[in-house]
């Protein structure tokens, strides 16, 4: 295969359909015997079957029997039902031994940390087919944390080392003797290194013990595991450290020749007119000598076949468009990142046959796209540096991304939950997820990113928060398997050695060698803090800030005067809704911040002086915190203004340099967007997938055409991420605290360049004339025909007398009209909610929730097309939300409303087929006597 510069060009993707190795039969589900025998025409190939039910488990230290004895039909005392995939703690919660420790509890006070100090036995019996001559039976493990030893029907069949390594075992000889039922036992080994937890302490103002990764960080010596479960500033110590069979266990059959690996490598031409598809097949033959086999396939409606030779044992075959015309695509449909086009995927069916029988087959989806990774930008030294700047299909991409620390604290990650989490990133207008330290590496995750057009920055397993892994070979073995397993997903942008600092040199060299061998067209970075590889990529860094700062601070940090251009970690506090705060804390702690708040990460990384300092800052900016509803209400404004500025500051200075601003922004990745547990920080939605104000701040800031107010300079900027220029007019209207208009201006947009920012004017003069301490600013961008492209809204301090926003409580209450309609379709319920400001006072941060009218519980996930609405007098907005049949079954759905200050008597609520009401609990922000923190 011709080698190309690994920094420059294309990559393609393969996503195994349905999240696994699926063939044309489309079979899945609980394991069951294959009907029929040789006389009935039983196929050699039986698609992958998941072994889901009937598992039991026990702590290994208390189980005296051997693996051979467990992998049999004998009765064994002391085993309890197990959830697989899952962790020991997940099974214990399901069995009623412990409550869910993430809600209403301090984790390490609720579950003993001794769960980590033993390995665990897992056991299951499952039906197997009668094998026909030549048929091979395969047992596959997609993920065991941390070490797995496998027995089947009394025989040890192999081991799996590391959480991210698969294990596939040919157990044909054993199953041939099984007489219809096989007995499987798995010993899950404990971590080689662990330590006691650091308990949460609200009074300390810092994360657990002030150190991520535990008191010494020794957990990181294990290498490829979920080391964050030792305790981080966004995750409590998880008592079982997420040990267990955390990914599916499956079986399948093939003929003598197995497709051990299928790699699809599309090469897209520079003019995007043609794509040549290379298919690399790894064959595993049980024949003792070389055999002639036929490879048959179908791509984009065109069938092909080729006769090849399969050597005994392992061999490889490469198919190219030079030999097979069907592997050249003319005018291919491309895979695009979110917001730039359709993330189209092609489907390839491929099979290997001999003697008229299908030995093995795959159905895979893949994407065609072309990536360039850098552009030269003059560095502070005066010399140009190849800086991280992404171009996909010749379109510059301003990276607007989110970091994932862990998909879920206890690894409770069914496919639909993961899909919803990634979909929320699509809906928030993001285009990238950084998979921090590879902690969320599953087929389901990458499948969802492929589907929704989300690029993936894929880290591996090293972090600067502790010592390096002691077993480099194990680390590299897991890295190798990850690259081979996931390399064909179109969503994967690049590989990265680790977090915030370089791994040991042997791992750096090993990663670079593996990428050069296995996936040479993708970039490989040394770490998230810098690259030391061949032809290094520069111009990016981590480093925060990770706490709340003013919007103008973000604009000053990213105004093009500071190096580097790409920032992959920056975040803030992100307080959830009142309902979720009550759900995640015990009632006694609602009004009294304490260690329960600390276990929900309120101290963050110690920025803002920890949780107590953040509460004080909120009170200074928006007024004394009277009760919990008042804290939740004010926090939504704190969320919105800071997190919106993180993205807007980068977009307002993207792509091209300006005089005195030589370092334009090329990307930003917020720390974080997905919460691993119920939390007060670093998220854009809650653990239960409720989108609070942070989500809509991201969504509004990352629109592909946006009009932005630079809160540092008061310039008005068009951020145009698209491939075409835009023009028109921006109307800027300024309102005082009462909602009365006191100034306006019209700014002409002669031509805002594609994939760039354009400064079109300033409102500094108008704002300086504000008659009150606070001004509201509405920006509306219309094209040359008068069609509205985008509108934006800000609340600002009067530059002449900055005093925060405490006087918002003196603003008059807003009168609103809310009308909701329900449309029952064949695939669910669609709600349309029309909100109008019928008075003069500004309706600030009007929040809508869908709820069950009988229980009062929120219906989730329910992401509105817009929310936390800001409407000047006379303005209106129409909002939509779609719910599935499953969400609305056995529920009467309603919509409730709250906001900053709403005049309920002057407002009108109407529902057509759906109840509409005020959220009285959230609106009760003025108790007779202040109760918060007292």
């Amino acid at each position: 295969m011709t080698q190309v510069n690994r920094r420059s060009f294309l990559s393609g993707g393969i996503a195994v359909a349905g999240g696994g190795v699926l063939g044309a039969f489309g079979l899945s589900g609980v394991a069951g015997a294959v009907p029929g025998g040789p006389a009935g025409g039983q196929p050699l190939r039986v698609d992958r079957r998941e072994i889901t039910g009937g598992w039991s488990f026990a702590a290994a230290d208390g189980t005296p029997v051997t693996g051979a004895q467990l992998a049999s039909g004998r009765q064994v005392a002391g085993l309890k039902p197990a959830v697989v995939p899952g962790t020991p703690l997940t099974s214990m919660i399901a069995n009623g031994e412990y409550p869910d420790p993430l809600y209403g509890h301090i984790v390490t006070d609720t579950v003993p940390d001794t769960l980590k100090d033993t390995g665990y036995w897992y056991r299951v019996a499952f039906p197997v087919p009668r094998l026909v001559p030549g048929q091979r039976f395969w047992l596959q493990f997609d993920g065991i944390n941390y070490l797995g030893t496998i027995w089947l029907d009394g025989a040890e069949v192999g081991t799996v080392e590391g959480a991210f390594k698969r294990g596939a075992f040919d157990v044909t000889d054993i199953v041939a003797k099984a007489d219809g039922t096989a007995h499987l036992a798995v010993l899950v080994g404990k971590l080689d290194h662990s330590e006691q937890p650091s308990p949460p302490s609200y009074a300390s103002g810092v994360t657990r013990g002030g150190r991520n990764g535990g008191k010494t960080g020794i957990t990181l010596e294990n290498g490829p595991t979920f080391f964050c479960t030792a305790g981080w500033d966004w995750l409590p110590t998880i008592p079982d450290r997420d040990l267990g069979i955390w990914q599916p266990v499956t079986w399948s059959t093939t003929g003598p020749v197995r497709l051990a690996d299928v790699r699809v490598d599309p090469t897209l031409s520079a003019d995007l007119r043609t794509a040549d598809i290379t298919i690399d097949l790894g064959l595993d033959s049980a024949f003792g000598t070389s055999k002639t086999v036929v490879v048959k396939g179908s791509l984009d409606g065109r069938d092909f076949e080729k006769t090849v030779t399969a050597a005994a044992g392992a061999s490889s075959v490469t198919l190219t468009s030079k030999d097979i015309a069907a592997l050249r695509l003319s005018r291919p449909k491309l895979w695009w990142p979110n917001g730039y086009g359709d993330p189209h995927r092609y489907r390839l069916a491929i099979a290997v046959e001999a003697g008229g029988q299908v030995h093995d087959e795959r159905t895979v989806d893949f994407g065609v796209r072309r990536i360039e990774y850098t552009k030269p930008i003059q560095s502070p030294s005066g010399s140009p540096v190849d800086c991280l700047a992404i171009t996909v299909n010749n379109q510059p991409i301003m990276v607007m991304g989110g970091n994932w620390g862990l998909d879920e604290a206890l690894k409770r990650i069914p496919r639909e939950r993961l899909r919803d989490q990634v979909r929320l990133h699509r809906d928030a207008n993001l285009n990238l997820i950084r998979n921090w330290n590879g902690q969320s590496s599953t087929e389901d995750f990458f499948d969802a990113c492929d589907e929704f057009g989300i690029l993936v920055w894929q880290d591996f397993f090293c972090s600067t928060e502790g010592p390096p892994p002691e077993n480099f070979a194990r680390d590299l073995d897991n890295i190798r398997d990850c690259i081979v397993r996931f390399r064909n997903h179109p969503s994967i942008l690049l590989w990265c050695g680790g977090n915030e600092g370089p791994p040991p040199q042997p791992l750096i060299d090993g990663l670079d060698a593996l990428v050069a061998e296995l996936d040479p067209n993708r970039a490989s970075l040394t770490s998230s803090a810098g690259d030391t590889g061949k032809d290094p990529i520069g111009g990016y860094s981590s480093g925060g800030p990770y706490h709340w700062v003013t919007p103008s601070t973000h604009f000053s940090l990213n105004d093009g005067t500071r190096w580097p251009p790409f920032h992959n970690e920056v975040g803030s506090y992100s307080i959830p809704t009142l309902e979720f705060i009550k759900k995640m804390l015990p009632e006694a702690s609602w009004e009294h911040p304490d260690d329960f708040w600390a276990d929900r990460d309120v101290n963050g990384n110690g920025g803002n002086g920890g949780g107590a300092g953040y509460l004080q800052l909120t009170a200074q900016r928006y007024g004394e915190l009277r009760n919990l509803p008042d804290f939740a209400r004010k926090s939504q404004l704190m969320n919105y203004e800071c997190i919106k500025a993180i993205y807007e500051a980068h977009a307002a200075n993207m792509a091209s340099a300006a005089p005195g601003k030589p370092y334009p922004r090329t990307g930003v990745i917020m720390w974080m967007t997905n919460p691993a547990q119920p939390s007060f920080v670093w998220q854009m939605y809650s653990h239960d997938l409720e989108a609070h104000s942070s989500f809509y701040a991201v969504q509004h800031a990352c629109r592909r055409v946006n009009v932005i107010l630079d809160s540092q300079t008061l310039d008005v900027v068009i951020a145009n991420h698209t491939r075409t220029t835009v023009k028109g007019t921006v109307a800027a209207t300024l309102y005082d605290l009462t909602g009365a208009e006191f100034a306006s201006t019209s700014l002409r947009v002669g031509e805002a360049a594609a994939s760039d920012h354009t400064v079109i004017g300033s409102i500094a003069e108008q704002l300086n004339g504000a008659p009150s301490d606070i001004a509201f600013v509405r920006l509306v961008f219309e094209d040359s025909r008068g069609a509205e492209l985008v509108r934006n809204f800000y609340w600002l301090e009067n530059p002449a007398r900055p005093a925060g926003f405490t006087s918002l409580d003196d603003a008059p209450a807003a009168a609103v009209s809310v009308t909701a309609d329900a449309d029952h379709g064949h695939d669910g319920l669609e709600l349309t909610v029309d909100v109008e400001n019928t008075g003069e006072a500004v309706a600030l941060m009007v929040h809508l929730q869908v709820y069950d009218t009988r229980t009062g519980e929120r219906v989730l996930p329910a992401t509105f097309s817009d929310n936390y609405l800001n409407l000047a007098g006379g303005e209106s907005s129409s909002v939509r939300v779609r719910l599935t049949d499953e969400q609305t079954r056995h529920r009467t759905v309603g919509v409730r409303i709250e906001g900053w200050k709403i005049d309920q008597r002057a407002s009108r609520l109407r529902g057509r087929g759906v109840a509409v009401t005020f959220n009285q609990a959230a609106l009760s922000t003025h108790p007779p006597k202040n109760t918060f923190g007292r």
Side-chain angles (χ1 to χ4, degrees):
M1 181 178 180
T2 303
Q3 298 286 315
V4 299
N5 187 327
R6 69 190 179 103
R7 305 291 176 170
S8 303
F9 280 53
L10 95 147
S11 238
I14 178 174
V16 182
V21 185
L22 297 182
F25 297 113
L27 303 173
S28 62
V30 179
V34 178
Q42 176 180 330
L44 293 175
R45 166 67 177 170
V46 173
D47 207 23
R48 135 180 183 134
R49 304 286 187 92
E50 185 174 347
I51 305 171
T52 54
W55 287 89
S56 57
F57 85 116
D61 287 356
T63 307
V65 296
T66 66
Q69 292 170 325
L70 277 169
S72 70
R74 66 173 288 180
Q75 294 294 316
V76 177
L79 276 74
K80 298 179 180 180
V83 177
V84 175
T87 70
L89 181 53
T90 302
S91 296
M92 293 172 190
I93 293 170
N95 293 338
E97 294 180 54
Y98 301 108
D100 187 328
L102 304 183
Y103 288 88
H105 299 274
I106 292 173
V107 173
T108 50
D109 287 352
T110 306
V111 182
D113 198 61
T114 53
L115 298 188
K116 73 180 187 308
D117 296 329
T118 177
Y120 291 88
W121 281 110
Y122 284 81
R123 186 190 199 203
V124 70
F126 62 101
V128 294
R130 287 180 293 140
L131 302 181
V132 299
Q135 193 171 30
R136 305 168 77 186
F137 189 99
W138 297 88
L139 187 62
Q140 179 161 318
F141 295 81
D142 285 351
I144 297 175
N145 185 37
Y146 169 64
L147 307 171
T149 307
I150 295 97
W151 282 264
L152 189 68
D153 283 354
E156 183 176 340
V157 299
T159 60
V160 180
E161 295 192 15
F164 306 103
K165 176 74 185 296
R166 294 170 296 175
F169 305 97
D170 184 344
V171 291
T172 305
D173 292 345
I174 298 173
V175 171
K177 304 172 186 177
D179 195 25
T181 301
H183 300 86
L184 173 64
V186 182
L187 176 61
V188 175
K190 64 182 181 181
L191 299 177
D192 295 319
H193 305 284
S194 63
E195 59 183 322
Q196 298 306 304
S198 299
S201 169
Y202 178 77
S204 73
V206 297
T207 190
R208 299 159 184 89
R211 193 182 194 286
N212 288 331
K215 297 176 182 178
T216 69
I218 195 173
T219 301
L220 277 86
E221 286 197 29
N222 295 297
T225 186
F226 306 115
F227 56 72
C228 55
T229 59
W232 227 262
D233 50 16
W234 46 268
L235 190 71
T237 302
I238 305 302
D240 66 354
R241 306 301 190 267
D242 284 349
L243 295 172
I245 305 173
W246 71 281
Q247 282 288 281
V249 181
T250 58
W251 65 264
S252 61
T253 67
T254 69
V257 181
R258 173 188 178 229
L259 286 169
D261 182 49
V262 179
R263 182 188 180 202
V264 180
D265 189 13
T267 301
L268 181 61
S269 63
D271 61 7
L272 312 183
R273 292 177 178 271
T274 60
D276 291 296
I277 312 301
T278 298
I279 303 173
D280 294 315
L281 303 177
L283 303 180
D284 172 22
S285 174
F287 290 122
T289 61
S290 296
K291 294 287 184 178
T292 298
V293 297
V294 179
V295 176
K296 291 187 176 181
S298 178
L299 174 61
D300 199 29
R302 301 163 69 189
D303 296 336
F304 62 88
E305 65 177 72
K306 186 175 178 62
T307 301
V308 301
T309 298
S315 63
S316 61
V317 172
T318 298
L319 308 177
T320 71
S321 59
K322 294 180 180 178
D323 306 311
I324 300 172
L327 298 184
R328 167 162 281 204
L329 300 175
S330 295
R331 299 190 179 276
K333 296 178 181 178
L334 305 182
W335 187 92
W336 286 97
N338 181 35
Y340 295 90
D342 178 40
H344 181 81
R345 287 171 292 167
Y346 286 93
R347 175 151 290 179
L348 168 72
I350 193 101
V352 57
E353 300 182 5
Q357 289 185 305
V358 175
H359 285 222
D360 202 2
E361 62 181 346
R362 302 279 185 94
T363 301
V364 298
D365 295 337
F366 69 95
V368 175
R369 84 284 194 282
R370 173 187 178 88
I371 291 183
E372 296 168 87
Y373 289 95
T374 66
K375 74 174 183 180
I377 297 177
Q378 182 173 307
S379 71
S381 69
S383 59
V385 169
D386 286 333
C387 290
L388 186 63
I390 304 304
T391 298
V392 179
N393 304 333
N394 301 337
Q395 165 68 34
I397 304 295
M398 175 67 182
V399 169
M400 310 289 263
N403 282 278
W404 282 35
L406 190 67
D407 37 29
E408 206 279 328
L410 305 186
K411 299 305 286 185
R412 298 172 293 190
I413 46 171
R415 182 177 181 83
E416 281 308 308
R417 177 183 172 88
L418 260 180
R419 188 175 180 274
D420 280 336
Q421 289 169 272
V422 177
R423 177 187 55 78
L424 284 166
H425 286 67
R426 188 274 311 269
D427 293 346
N429 294 319
L430 295 178
N431 54 34
L432 179 141
I433 291 171
R434 176 181 167 222
N435 188 3
W436 179 86
N437 285 114
Q439 303 284 279
S440 304
S441 298
T442 65
E443 283 286 355
D444 291 345
F445 170 71
F446 293 113
D447 283 348
C449 291
D450 290 348
E451 176 185 358
F452 294 122
I454 303 298
L455 294 164
V456 178
W457 173 312
Q458 176 68 10
D459 278 3
F460 287 118
F461 323 121
C462 284
S463 175
T464 57
E465 303 282 357
E470 67 176 10
N471 189 330
F472 292 167
R474 182 185 291 162
D475 230 55
L476 291 171
D477 197 34
N478 278 244
I479 290 172
R480 170 182 282 275
D481 198 56
C482 280
I483 293 174
V484 169
R485 183 180 184 182
F486 302 126
R487 61 185 168 182
N488 297 319
H489 284 272
S491 55
I492 295 181
L493 174 68
L494 55 80
W495 309 107
C496 180
N499 180 53
E500 295 185 347
Q505 195 61 44
L507 288 180
I508 296 172
D509 296 341
L511 173 60
D512 285 346
L514 286 171
V515 174
E517 173 196 352
L518 303 171
D519 196 22
N521 298 319
R522 275 196 181 89
S524 173
L525 305 179
T526 302
S527 80
S528 64
D531 188 21
T532 61
K534 184 181 178 183
D535 305 321
I537 292 175
Y540 69 92
S541 72
S542 304
Y546 298 99
H547 53 276
W548 196 96
V549 299
T550 63
S552 61
T553 299
H554 283 301
F555 277 92
S556 67
L557 290 173
N558 298 285
D559 62 358
T561 65
R562 290 170 173 81
W563 183 266
F566 194 114
H567 203 169
N568 59 33
E569 287 187 18
V570 53
S572 177
Y573 277 85
S574 180
I575 309 300
T577 62
L578 172 67
E579 291 77 13
F580 190 74
I581 294 173
K582 288 182 174 181
K583 179 179 177 181
M584 72 178 177
L585 297 173
E587 186 170 357
S589 298
W590 287 357
E591 299 279 355
H592 310 287
D594 57 12
D595 289 351
F596 288 93
W597 287 57
D599 214 35
R600 301 289 81 83
D601 309 323
V602 77
N603 283 333
N605 69 339
N608 296 131
Y614 173 77
L615 298 179
Q616 183 179 15
L617 178 64
T618 304
Q620 290 172 348
R621 193 160 180 85
Y622 285 101
E624 183 180 6
L625 304 177
R626 302 181 181 91
N627 60 4
L628 185 64
D630 193 38
F631 167 67
R633 173 183 73 140
K634 289 170 177 171
S635 292
Q636 298 312 308
L637 277 74
M638 291 282 281
N639 291 355
Y640 190 86
E641 60 167 332
C642 180
I643 287 176
K644 187 161 172 266
I646 288 174
Y647 289 100
E648 286 194 340
H650 285 80
N653 294 282
M654 70 177 184
S656 65
K661 298 181 176 183
Y663 313 129
R665 305 295 93 180
T666 58
V668 60
I669 311 177
M670 187 170 80
W671 186 263
M672 295 184 290
T673 46
N674 175 71
Q677 72 141 352
S679 181
F680 285 105
V681 297
W682 303 327
Q683 57 190 351
M684 67 174 184
Y685 49 79
S686 301
H687 183 258
D688 64 359
L689 307 188
E690 180 182 33
H692 48 264
S693 67
S694 297
F695 176 91
Y696 296 97
V698 176
Q699 184 187 71
H700 296 159
C702 296
R703 291 174 287 201
R704 294 299 177 260
V705 175
N706 209 359
V707 54
I708 295 169
L709 178 62
D710 184 324
S711 57
Q712 179 195 22
T713 65
L714 301 180
D715 287 338
V716 178
V717 185
I718 301 297
N720 178 14
H721 302 251
T722 74
R723 70 194 74 175
T724 58
T725 60
V726 293
K727 57 185 178 180
T729 304
V730 171
T733 310
L734 287 74
Y735 306 89
D736 67 13
L737 192 59
T738 69
E741 178 182 329
F742 70 85
S744 64
T745 186
S746 180
L747 303 172
R748 179 174 174 271
V749 184
E751 193 169 86
S755 305
D756 207 346
H757 75 281
T758 303
V759 178
I760 61 169
S762 172
I763 63 165
E765 181 179 350
Q766 291 83 356
L767 187 61
N768 283 326
S772 53
D773 290 344
I774 298 170
F776 303 106
V777 178
R778 166 69 74 205
L779 304 176
V780 180
F781 181 17
E782 295 181 347
D783 66 17
S784 54
R785 294 171 296 180
E788 184 177 304
L789 298 176
V790 66
R791 61 176 52 203
N792 215 338
F793 186 90
Y794 300 86
W795 53 94
L796 302 170
E797 298 172 88
N798 187 327
R801 49 179 190 275
F805 298 105
T806 57
S807 60
L808 276 176
D809 264 339
D810 299 328
V816 296
S817 169
V818 181
T819 304
D821 286 282
D823 182 16
H824 295 270
H826 68 279
D827 58 350
L829 178 70
E830 181 169 286
L831 301 176
T832 301
V833 186
D834 295 318
V835 182
E836 181 183 1
N837 184 346
T838 56
E840 183 176 271
V842 170
L844 187 64
M845 298 291 276
V846 177
H847 176 218
L848 309 171
Q849 278 183 336
V850 177
Y851 74 107
D852 184 333
T853 60
R854 289 180 294 180
T855 66
E857 293 295 322
R858 296 156 298 147
V859 179
L860 298 170
T863 307
F864 290 77
S865 61
D866 198 4
N867 214 331
Y868 291 92
L869 310 173
N870 297 295
L871 302 172
E875 285 190 316
S876 62
S877 181
S878 185
V879 177
R880 297 173 307 284
V881 62
R882 179 176 291 277
L883 304 173
T884 66
D885 285 331
E886 182 65 28
Q887 287 178 299
T888 56
R889 190 174 291 121
H890 309 305
R891 286 191 179 104
T892 303
V893 173
V895 175
R896 58 191 177 202
I897 179 175
E898 42 98 0
W900 180 253
K901 292 181 72 175
I902 296 179
D903 185 340
Q904 296 186 40
R905 292 186 177 182
S907 297
R908 299 192 307 272
L909 308 183
R910 290 174 292 175
R912 301 188 181 102
V914 58
V916 183
T917 187
F918 289 109
N919 187 343
Q920 297 294 353
L923 288 167
S924 298
T925 58
H926 289 70
K929 182 178 180 181
N930 291 357
T931 57
F932 191 77
R934 288 170 169 76

